[in-house]
């Protein structure tokens, strides 16, 4: 018997969605035993482009793609959905303060949170990609009355994957030898890619690499600035790798985590590691196939503690900028 899943994607005519939708419709995300309905959501001016994307999805004749619904209306878009992948947002433009960015996005994620609470299926999970993704997830969560807070996630997986590759290259091993890579805090340049707890071939990464200065310096800055490096090289921002990280993230939520490993996701803090309760914070997490929990008991030295304090401070600041949207 085939399973069924109904997935809403916002920003569906954007460049990340153009890499993602075909992987969902082919069965790569939810598996070959699951039929997919795609609710593709865009703003009015992008509806024509969205129709083009839908035509291409049609032209793939994917056997698992049961139906598509294209709309700019949130009631239609979120009706009965099991997953909301919130990719659409308004990126920062020249001259825009972070504060403006947050309030513009508040205008998007508040109504989306409300509509998800009203119209989505009772098992809905919400995965936020559109930046600033941690605080956008916080806004959606705070406006989704009745949806448990542990159903909301923001994406730090692209940073995790970037960090794993940097460690693999530096140590001259294949990337599948790297494990336990956590991204702490905000998906921004203050994130902390936690090399202290990462492992290479099961050994502490620090021991294998033997170059603490590189880890503290070039490694962290390469991961933090990778988005800008991609824009510089490609002329547009990471899209295929972001879509790939969405596939990895969503699968990591509904698939039990490999024994001894963890994955990076930004979840609602319950105060773990002293992070203020309610922040949408990047942590190492494990899934039992149904829900995720933060991995506790990891230790950090002063360097890591300071880095985590800095990203915590940034997220606390973002939260205070949007306080009128979440109270
Ligand atoms: P894009 O500009 O190509 O596409 C965004 C789409 O969202 C556009 O088609 C736009 O019309 C749509 N949109 C805007 N407001 C909307 C709304 N209210 N409802 C529905 N759709 C709406 O951008 P791209 O490259 O696809 O990136 C999307 C977002 O993902 C950006 O905010 C980007 O910063 C973020 N991002 C996050 C990453 C992460 O690791 N968390 C990684 C890469 C990108």
């Amino acid at each position: 018997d085939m399973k069924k899943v109904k997935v809403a994607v916002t920003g569906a005519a954007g460049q990340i969605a153009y890499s993602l939708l075909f992987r969902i419709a082919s069965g790569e995300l939810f598996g070959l035993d699951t039929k997919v309905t795609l609710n593709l959501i865009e703003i009015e001016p992008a509806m024509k482009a969205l129709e083009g994307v839908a035509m291409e999805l049609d032209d793939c004749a994917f056997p698992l793609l049961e139906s598509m619904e294209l709309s700019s209306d949130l009631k239609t878009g979120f009706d009965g959905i099991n997953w909301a992948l919130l990719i659409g947002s308004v990126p920062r433009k020249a001259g825009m303060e972070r504060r403006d960015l947050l309030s513009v996005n508040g205008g998007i994620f508040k109504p989306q949170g409300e509509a998800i609470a009203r119209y989505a299926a009772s098992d809905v999970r919400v995965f936020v990609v559109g930046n600033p993704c941690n605080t956008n997830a916080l806004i959606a969560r705070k406006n989704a009355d009745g949806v448990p807070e542990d159903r909301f996630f923001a994406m730090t997986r692209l940073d995790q994957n970037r960090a794993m590759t940097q460690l693999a290259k530096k140590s001259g091993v294949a990337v599948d030898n790297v494990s336990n890579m956590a991204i702490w805090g905000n998906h921004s340049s203050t994130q902390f890619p936690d090399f202290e707890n990462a492992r290479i071939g099961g050994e502490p990464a620090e021991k294998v690499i033997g170059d603490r200065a590189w880890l503290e310096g070039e490694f962290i800055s390469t991961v933090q600035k990778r988005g800008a490096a991609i824009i510089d090289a490609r002329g547009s921002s990471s899209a295929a790798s972001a879509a790939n990280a969405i596939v990895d993230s969503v699968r990591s939520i509904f698939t039990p985590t490999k024994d001894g490993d963890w994955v990076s996701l930004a979840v609602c803090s319950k105060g773990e590691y002293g992070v203020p309760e309610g922040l949408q914070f990047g942590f190492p997490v494990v899934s039992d196939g149904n829900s995720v929990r933060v991995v506790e008991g990891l230790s950090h030295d002063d360097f890591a503690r300071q880095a985590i304090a800095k990203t915590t401070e940034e997220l606390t600041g973002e939260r205070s900028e949007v306080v009128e949207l979440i109270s």
Side-chain angles (χ1 to χ4, degrees):
D1 240 22
M2 296 296 279
K3 294 189 261 182
K4 284 181 193 246
V5 66
K6 195 167 179 181
V7 186
V9 178
T10 70
Q15 55 152 3
I16 294 176
Y18 194 68
S19 284
L20 176 69
L21 294 173
F22 298 85
R23 297 180 66 176
I24 300 178
S26 71
E28 191 186 339
L29 178 52
F30 293 102
L32 299 178
D33 59 350
T34 305
K35 292 228 177 213
V36 180
T37 292
L38 285 175
N39 280 15
L40 305 178
I41 304 174
E42 260 295 349
I43 51 176
E44 202 50 55
M47 288 309 287
K48 182 161 180 229
L50 182 59
E51 277 165 34
V53 176
M55 286 160 70
E56 285 206 73
L57 282 161
D58 273 336
D59 294 349
C60 293
F62 286 122
L64 293 172
L65 181 56
E66 194 157 55
S67 65
M68 283 185 272
E69 179 83 59
L70 280 52
S71 97
S72 58
D73 163 61
L74 298 182
K75 179 175 191 291
T76 312
F78 291 131
D79 182 47
I81 52 145
N82 310 105
W83 285 88
L85 309 181
L86 305 183
I87 304 174
S89 73
V90 174
R92 193 169 188 164
K93 298 190 184 85
M96 211 171 172
E97 298 291 328
R98 195 161 179 93
R99 184 187 195 105
D100 304 328
L101 182 77
L102 289 164
S103 75
V104 166
N105 284 293
I108 298 175
F109 288 87
K110 184 177 197 285
Q112 289 183 351
E114 290 166 351
I116 286 167
R118 279 184 80 169
Y119 306 118
S122 60
D123 68 349
V124 70
R125 290 186 178 96
V126 182
F127 186 70
V128 180
V129 178
N131 279 320
C133 65
N134 297 59
T135 298
N136 287 341
L138 168 74
I139 296 167
R141 194 184 85 215
K142 286 287 195 178
N143 287 283
D145 255 359
V147 183
E149 58 194 15
D150 64 359
R151 306 281 192 79
F152 290 80
F153 308 88
M155 186 158 95
T156 49
R157 180 60 179 254
L158 181 53
D159 307 302
Q160 174 194 324
N161 289 347
R162 286 166 170 169
M164 288 170 68
T165 292
Q166 294 306 314
L167 292 182
K169 281 186 193 273
K170 179 73 174 176
S171 55
V173 301
V175 73
D176 64 338
N177 290 287
V178 181
S179 65
N180 303 83
M181 186 68 238
I183 303 296
W184 294 76
N186 205 1
H187 167 69
S188 77
S189 61
T190 66
Q191 64 173 276
F192 176 55
D194 185 357
F195 58 81
E196 293 186 355
N197 288 292
R199 295 186 162 258
I200 301 173
E203 296 287 311
E206 232 185 300
K207 186 176 147 205
V208 174
I209 285 177
D211 185 349
R212 173 87 190 191
W214 180 84
L215 288 165
E216 286 187 9
E218 203 180 321
F219 166 68
I220 290 187
S221 74
T222 300
V223 176
Q224 288 175 339
K225 294 179 189 151
R226 188 70 163 182
I230 302 279
I231 293 175
D232 187 48
R234 211 174 77 87
S236 49
S237 59
S238 338
S241 55
N244 180 68
I246 297 172
V247 171
D248 284 350
S249 303
V250 171
R251 289 193 66 86
S252 79
I253 294 167
F254 70 74
T255 311
T257 310
K258 204 169 148 209
D259 258 353
D261 203 356
W262 55 67
V263 294
S264 301
L265 279 168
V267 299
C268 176
S269 165
K270 296 192 178 76
E272 297 93 343
Y273 298 92
V275 171
E277 233 174 275
L279 283 188
Q280 195 79 24
F281 197 90
F283 280 115
V285 305
V286 291
S287 172
D288 61 9
N290 188 35
S291 57
V292 310
R293 64 173 176 78
V294 172
V295 175
E296 298 203 68
L298 299 181
S299 57
H300 291 115
D301 68 8
D302 280 348
F303 177 85
R305 274 199 295 273
Q306 273 170 34
I308 292 170
K310 188 173 167 204
T311 194
T312 304
E313 197 181 312
E314 184 180 51
L315 279 172
T316 311
E318 288 187 13
R319 180 167 67 176
S320 64
E321 301 284 4
V322 300
V323 72
E324 68 279 10
L325 292 164
I326 60 175
S327 46

Coordinates of all heavy atoms in Angstrom, one line a residue, residues 241-281:
S241 N 22.8 23.3 -3.6 CA 23.3 22.8 -2.3 C 22.4 23.1 -1.2 O 22.2 22.3 -0.3 CB 24.7 23.3 -2.0 OG 24.7 24.8 -2.0
A242 N 21.6 24.2 -1.3 CA 20.6 24.5 -0.3 C 19.5 23.5 -0.4 O 19.0 23.0 0.6 CB 20.1 25.9 -0.5
A243 N 19.1 23.2 -1.7 CA 18.0 22.2 -1.9 C 18.4 20.9 -1.3 O 17.6 20.1 -0.7 CB 17.6 22.1 -3.4
N244 N 19.7 20.5 -1.6 CA 20.2 19.2 -1.1 C 20.1 19.2 0.5 O 19.8 18.2 1.1 CB 21.6 19.1 -1.6 CG 22.2 17.8 -1.1 OD1 21.8 16.7 -1.5 ND2 23.1 17.8 -0.1
A245 N 20.5 20.3 1.1 CA 20.4 20.4 2.5 C 19.0 20.3 3.1 O 18.8 19.8 4.2 CB 21.1 21.7 3.0
I246 N 18.0 20.8 2.3 CA 16.6 20.6 2.7 C 16.2 19.1 2.7 O 15.6 18.6 3.6 CB 15.7 21.4 1.7 CG1 16.0 22.9 1.9 CG2 14.2 21.1 2.1 CD1 15.2 23.8 0.8
V247 N 16.7 18.4 1.6 CA 16.4 17.0 1.5 C 17.0 16.3 2.7 O 16.4 15.5 3.4 CB 16.9 16.4 0.2 CG1 16.8 14.9 0.2 CG2 16.2 17.0 -1.0
D248 N 18.3 16.6 3.0 CA 19.0 16.0 4.2 C 18.2 16.3 5.5 O 18.1 15.4 6.3 CB 20.4 16.5 4.3 CG 21.4 15.9 3.2 OD1 21.0 14.9 2.6 OD2 22.5 16.4 3.1
S249 N 17.9 17.5 5.6 CA 17.2 18.0 6.9 C 15.9 17.3 7.2 O 15.7 16.7 8.2 CB 17.0 19.5 6.9 OG 18.1 20.2 6.7
V250 N 15.1 17.3 6.1 CA 13.7 16.8 6.3 C 13.8 15.3 6.6 O 13.2 14.7 7.5 CB 12.8 17.1 5.1 CG1 11.5 16.4 5.2 CG2 12.5 18.6 5.1
R251 N 14.7 14.6 5.8 CA 14.9 13.2 6.0 C 15.4 12.9 7.5 O 15.0 11.9 8.1 CB 15.8 12.6 5.0 CG 15.3 12.5 3.6 CD 16.1 11.6 2.7 NE 16.2 10.2 3.2 CZ 15.3 9.3 2.8 NH1 14.3 9.6 2.0 NH2 15.3 8.1 3.2
S252 N 16.3 13.8 7.9 CA 16.9 13.6 9.3 C 15.8 13.8 10.4 O 16.1 13.3 11.5 CB 18.0 14.5 9.5 OG 17.6 15.8 9.8
I253 N 14.7 14.4 10.1 CA 13.7 14.6 11.1 C 12.8 13.3 11.2 O 12.5 12.9 12.3 CB 12.8 15.8 10.8 CG1 13.6 17.1 10.9 CG2 11.6 15.9 11.7 CD1 12.9 18.3 10.2
F254 N 12.5 12.7 10.1 CA 11.6 11.5 10.1 C 12.4 10.2 10.0 O 11.7 9.1 10.0 CB 10.5 11.6 9.1 CG 10.8 11.5 7.7 CD1 11.2 10.3 7.1 CD2 10.8 12.6 6.8 CE1 11.5 10.1 5.8 CE2 11.2 12.5 5.5 CZ 11.5 11.2 5.0
T255 N 13.7 10.2 10.0 CA 14.5 9.0 10.0 C 15.3 8.9 11.3 O 15.9 9.9 11.7 CB 15.5 9.0 8.8 OG1 14.7 9.4 7.6 CG2 16.1 7.7 8.6
P256 N 15.4 7.7 12.0 CA 16.2 7.6 13.2 C 17.7 8.0 12.8 O 18.2 7.5 11.8 CB 16.0 6.2 13.6 CG 14.8 5.7 13.0 CD 14.6 6.5 11.7
T257 N 18.3 8.8 13.7 CA 19.7 9.2 13.5 C 20.6 8.0 13.7 O 20.3 7.1 14.6 CB 20.1 10.3 14.5 OG1 19.0 11.3 14.5 CG2 21.4 10.9 14.2
K258 N 21.6 7.9 12.9 CA 22.6 6.8 13.0 C 23.2 6.8 14.4 O 23.5 7.9 15.0 CB 23.7 7.1 12.0 CG 24.5 5.9 11.5 CD 25.4 6.3 10.4 CE 26.7 5.5 10.4 NZ 27.8 6.1 9.8
D259 N 23.3 5.6 15.0 CA 23.8 5.5 16.3 C 25.1 6.2 16.6 O 26.1 6.1 15.8 CB 24.1 4.0 16.6 CG 23.0 3.4 17.5 OD1 22.1 4.2 17.9 OD2 23.0 2.2 17.7
G260 N 25.2 7.0 17.6 CA 26.4 7.7 18.0 C 26.6 9.0 17.2 O 27.5 9.8 17.6
D261 N 25.9 9.3 16.2 CA 26.0 10.5 15.4 C 24.9 11.5 15.8 O 24.1 11.2 16.6 CB 25.9 10.2 13.9 CG 26.6 11.2 13.0 OD1 27.1 12.2 13.5 OD2 26.7 11.0 11.8
W262 N 25.0 12.7 15.2 CA 23.9 13.7 15.4 C 23.8 14.5 14.1 O 24.7 14.4 13.3 CB 24.1 14.5 16.6 CG 25.4 15.2 16.8 CD1 25.8 16.3 16.0 CD2 26.4 15.0 17.8 NE1 27.1 16.7 16.5 CE2 27.4 15.9 17.6 CE3 26.5 14.1 18.9 CZ2 28.6 16.0 18.4 CZ3 27.6 14.2 19.6 CH2 28.7 15.1 19.4
V263 N 22.8 15.3 14.0 CA 22.6 16.2 12.9 C 22.3 17.6 13.4 O 22.0 17.8 14.6 CB 21.5 15.8 11.9 CG1 21.9 14.5 11.3 CG2 20.2 15.7 12.7
S264 N 22.5 18.6 12.5 CA 22.3 20.0 12.9 C 20.9 20.5 12.4 O 20.6 20.3 11.3 CB 23.3 20.9 12.3 OG 24.6 20.5 12.7
L265 N 20.2 21.0 13.4 CA 18.9 21.6 13.1 C 18.7 22.7 14.1 O 19.1 22.6 15.2 CB 17.7 20.6 13.3 CG 17.4 19.6 12.2 CD1 16.5 18.5 12.7 CD2 16.8 20.3 10.9
A266 N 18.0 23.8 13.7 CA 17.6 24.8 14.6 C 16.2 24.5 15.1 O 15.3 24.4 14.4 CB 17.7 26.2 14.0
V267 N 16.1 24.3 16.4 CA 14.9 23.9 17.1 C 14.6 24.9 18.2 O 15.4 25.7 18.6 CB 15.0 22.5 17.6 CG1 15.2 21.5 16.5 CG2 16.0 22.4 18.7
C268 N 13.4 24.8 18.8 CA 13.0 25.7 19.9 C 13.8 25.3 21.2 O 13.6 24.2 21.6 CB 11.5 25.5 20.1 SG 10.9 26.5 21.5
S269 N 14.5 26.2 21.7 CA 15.3 25.9 22.8 C 14.5 25.7 24.1 O 13.5 26.5 24.3 CB 16.3 27.1 23.1 OG 16.8 27.0 24.4
K270 N 14.8 24.7 24.8 CA 14.1 24.5 26.1 C 15.1 24.9 27.2 O 14.9 24.5 28.4 CB 13.8 23.0 26.3 CG 12.7 22.5 25.3 CD 12.2 21.1 25.8 CE 11.1 20.5 24.8 NZ 11.7 20.0 23.6
G271 N 16.1 25.6 26.8 CA 17.1 26.1 27.8 C 18.4 25.2 27.9 O 19.2 25.4 28.8
E272 N 18.5 24.3 26.9 CA 19.7 23.5 26.9 C 20.9 24.3 26.8 O 20.9 25.3 26.1 CB 19.6 22.5 25.7 CG 18.5 21.5 25.7 CD 17.2 22.0 25.0 OE1 17.1 23.2 24.7 OE2 16.4 21.1 24.7
Y273 N 22.0 23.9 27.4 CA 23.3 24.7 27.4 C 23.2 26.1 27.8 O 23.9 27.0 27.3 CB 24.0 24.5 26.0 CG 24.3 23.1 25.6 CD1 23.3 22.3 24.9 CD2 25.5 22.5 26.0 CE1 23.6 21.0 24.6 CE2 25.7 21.1 25.7 CZ 24.8 20.4 25.0 OH 25.1 19.1 24.7
G274 N 22.1 26.5 28.5 CA 22.0 27.8 29.0 C 21.4 28.8 27.9 O 21.4 30.0 28.1
V275 N 21.0 28.2 26.7 CA 20.4 29.1 25.7 C 19.0 29.5 26.1 O 18.3 28.7 26.6 CB 20.3 28.3 24.4 CG1 19.5 29.0 23.3 CG2 21.7 27.9 23.8
P276 N 18.7 30.8 26.0 CA 17.4 31.2 26.5 C 16.3 30.4 25.9 O 16.3 30.1 24.7 CB 17.3 32.7 26.0 CG 18.8 33.1 25.9 CD 19.5 31.9 25.5
E277 N 15.3 30.1 26.7 CA 14.2 29.3 26.3 C 13.4 30.0 25.2 O 13.2 31.2 25.2 CB 13.2 29.1 27.5 CG 12.9 27.7 27.8 CD 12.1 27.6 29.1 OE1 12.7 27.6 30.1 OE2 10.8 27.7 29.0
G278 N 13.0 29.3 24.2 CA 12.1 29.8 23.1 C 12.9 30.3 21.9 O 12.3 30.6 20.9
L279 N 14.2 30.6 22.0 CA 15.0 30.9 20.8 C 15.0 29.8 19.8 O 15.0 28.6 20.3 CB 16.4 31.3 21.1 CG 16.7 32.6 21.8 CD1 18.3 32.8 21.8 CD2 16.1 33.8 21.1
Q280 N 14.9 30.1 18.5 CA 15.0 29.0 17.5 C 16.5 28.9 17.3 O 17.1 29.7 16.6 CB 14.3 29.4 16.3 CG 14.0 28.2 15.3 CD 12.9 27.3 15.7 OE1 12.0 27.7 16.5 NE2 13.0 26.0 15.3
F281 N 17.1 27.8 17.8 CA 18.6 27.8 18.0 C 19.2 26.6 17.3 O 18.7 25.5 17.5 CB 18.9 27.9 19.5 CG 20.3 28.2 19.8 CD1 20.7 29.6 20.0 CD2 21.3 27.3 20.0 CE1 22.0 29.9 20.4 CE2 22.6 27.6 20.3 CZ 22.9 28.9 20.5

